[in-house]
Amino acid sequence: MPGNPEAEAKKDLGNKAFAAKEYDEAIKHYTAAISIDSKNCVYFSNRSACHGGKGDWEKAANDAKECIKVNPEFIKGYYRLANAQSEQNQFDAALSTVRQGMAVDSNNPQLQKQMRQIKAKRDNQRRVENATKTATSAAAESAPIRSLDPSVVKEVQDLQAQLRTTAKEFRDVQGRIRRAQLAKRTSELTKNQLKELPDGSYSKLYRPVGKMFMLASESEINAHLDETIEKEGKNETSLSSKMEYLEKMMKSQQQNIQELTKSASE
């Protein structure tokens, strides 16, 4: 059944603004569409994507929930909600949402891929928390070393300084991974949204070039998005390997501190 023509016109304007990453403008148009027809789940889904593009994951989750409420059969609603929950580190809730979506379509490849991504992100977060505890624990052990031999104290202090440096680098890499993931997901969302645009809409779309925007064709926009997705995917993989290495290094440094202080106090 076709949607309300007036609401659909607002949605089309929102789609064009979204493609140009003008999220506030897109939100305005999708909100107008919702005010005309609040029973169309697509409008809530698209507005959720806009909030996600801005990094406002709480609002993205709220719109995704409304999307599912309006149409529980619309798979993209579950994808949007799980993504927003994952971005807020609500991994158990996100996995539960994906399972709800797969109860509707058990063979949906997008949800299957999302399930793997959320589990990987959850495991990564646990590694980060463990590594942070490692660094904190090692720092807490610095107090009793003053009673040791001065040469041992100096060696322990050097090791603790190395551990702090490694922990700082670990946090830096973690932040870079998040930025790479966000850039990749934003490009994927934009690419998916472009597929929903009506024919001819590409005539007034733009792609970012540095701090400017340049009028671009359909093929140029998709090529740019594909390039970004591939680049950030490789960047994420490389940084994840580095983070695992740094985590092992911190554990080794902590163990060295513990062994040194233990042997010196015996």
Side-chain angles (χ1 to χ4, degrees), residues 60-113:
N62 290 338
D63 269 342
K65 289 176 182 177
E66 285 298 319
C67 173
I68 295 171
K69 182 178 179 181
V70 171
N71 185 356
E73 302 295 315
F74 189 66
I75 293 297
K76 191 169 288 186
Y78 297 98
Y79 176 84
R80 301 276 196 226
L81 178 56
N83 187 53
Q85 290 169 328
S86 176
E87 287 296 333
Q88 297 176 85
N89 292 337
Q90 300 170 358
F91 302 119
D92 290 340
L95 291 173
S96 177
T97 297
V98 174
R99 293 188 186 99
Q100 291 174 31
M102 294 181 74
V104 178
D105 183 0
S106 60
N107 296 317
N108 186 278
Q110 190 176 33
L111 290 180
Q112 291 174 342
K113 179 180 179 181

Side-chain angles (χ1 to χ4, degrees), residues 14 17-18 21-31 47 50-51 53-54 56 59:
F18 180 89
K21 296 187 178 182
E22 296 174 355
Y23 300 121
D24 288 328
E25 184 71 12
I27 288 171
K28 181 181 73 174
H29 293 304
Y30 292 136
T31 300
R47 194 170 69 176
C50 291
H51 288 308
K54 293 180 62 179
D56 192 340
K59 289 184 178 180

Side-chain angles (χ1 to χ4, degrees), residues 151-186:
S151 61
V152 176
V153 171
K154 178 64 168 63
E155 189 172 354
V156 172
Q157 289 175 337
D158 288 343
L159 286 171
Q160 288 175 335
Q162 292 172 18
L163 178 56
R164 286 193 293 271
T165 299
T166 305
K168 182 176 182 299
E169 186 176 0
F170 181 92
R171 291 190 294 271
D172 177 67
V173 171
Q174 181 190 8
R176 290 165 61 190
I177 288 176
R178 288 174 178 163
R179 289 192 291 273
Q181 291 173 334
L182 178 60
K184 180 183 174 183
R185 278 193 296 271
T186 300

Side-chain angles (χ1 to χ4, degrees), residues 99-255:
R99 293 188 186 99
Q100 291 174 31
M102 294 181 74
V104 178
D105 183 0
S106 60
N107 296 317
N108 186 278
Q110 190 176 33
L111 290 180
Q112 291 174 342
K113 179 180 179 181
Q114 189 179 39
M115 175 78 80
R116 294 192 296 270
Q117 291 175 331
I118 293 172
K119 287 181 177 179
K121 187 177 179 182
R122 177 197 60 189
D123 293 343
N124 175 64
Q125 182 65 26
R126 287 175 178 173
R127 288 200 302 270
V128 171
E129 291 173 354
N130 289 335
T132 301
K133 289 179 181 177
T134 296
T136 302
S137 176
E141 292 172 356
S142 63
I145 68 172
R146 295 175 183 175
S147 62
L148 302 177
D149 182 271
S151 61
V152 176
V153 171
K154 178 64 168 63
E155 189 172 354
V156 172
Q157 289 175 337
D158 288 343
L159 286 171
Q160 288 175 335
Q162 292 172 18
L163 178 56
R164 286 193 293 271
T165 299
T166 305
K168 182 176 182 299
E169 186 176 0
F170 181 92
R171 291 190 294 271
D172 177 67
V173 171
Q174 181 190 8
R176 290 165 61 190
I177 288 176
R178 288 174 178 163
R179 289 192 291 273
Q181 291 173 334
L182 178 60
K184 180 183 174 183
R185 278 193 296 271
T186 300
S187 294
E188 289 174 338
L189 285 170
T190 302
K191 189 173 176 65
N192 289 334
Q193 198 75 16
L194 287 175
K195 294 177 182 178
E196 300 178 5
L197 290 178
D199 294 338
S201 297
Y202 283 96
S203 61
K204 294 184 179 181
L205 293 183
Y206 299 81
R207 71 179 183 88
V209 179
K211 295 183 178 181
M212 302 176 62
F213 288 90
M214 180 178 294
L215 189 66
S217 66
E218 174 182 352
S219 60
E220 289 173 331
I221 290 174
N222 279 300
H224 173 72
L225 291 171
D226 287 336
E227 181 182 348
T228 300
I229 292 169
E230 181 181 5
K231 174 186 174 183
E232 297 301 343
K234 290 180 178 178
N235 192 24
E236 180 185 354
T237 299
S238 175
L239 289 169
S240 294
S241 297
K242 184 173 183 180
M243 189 166 70
E244 290 178 5
Y245 167 76
L246 291 170
E247 181 184 6
K248 291 177 181 178
M249 182 181 291
M250 284 192 293
K251 289 181 179 179
S252 176
Q253 289 169 337
Q254 183 189 33
Q255 185 177 1

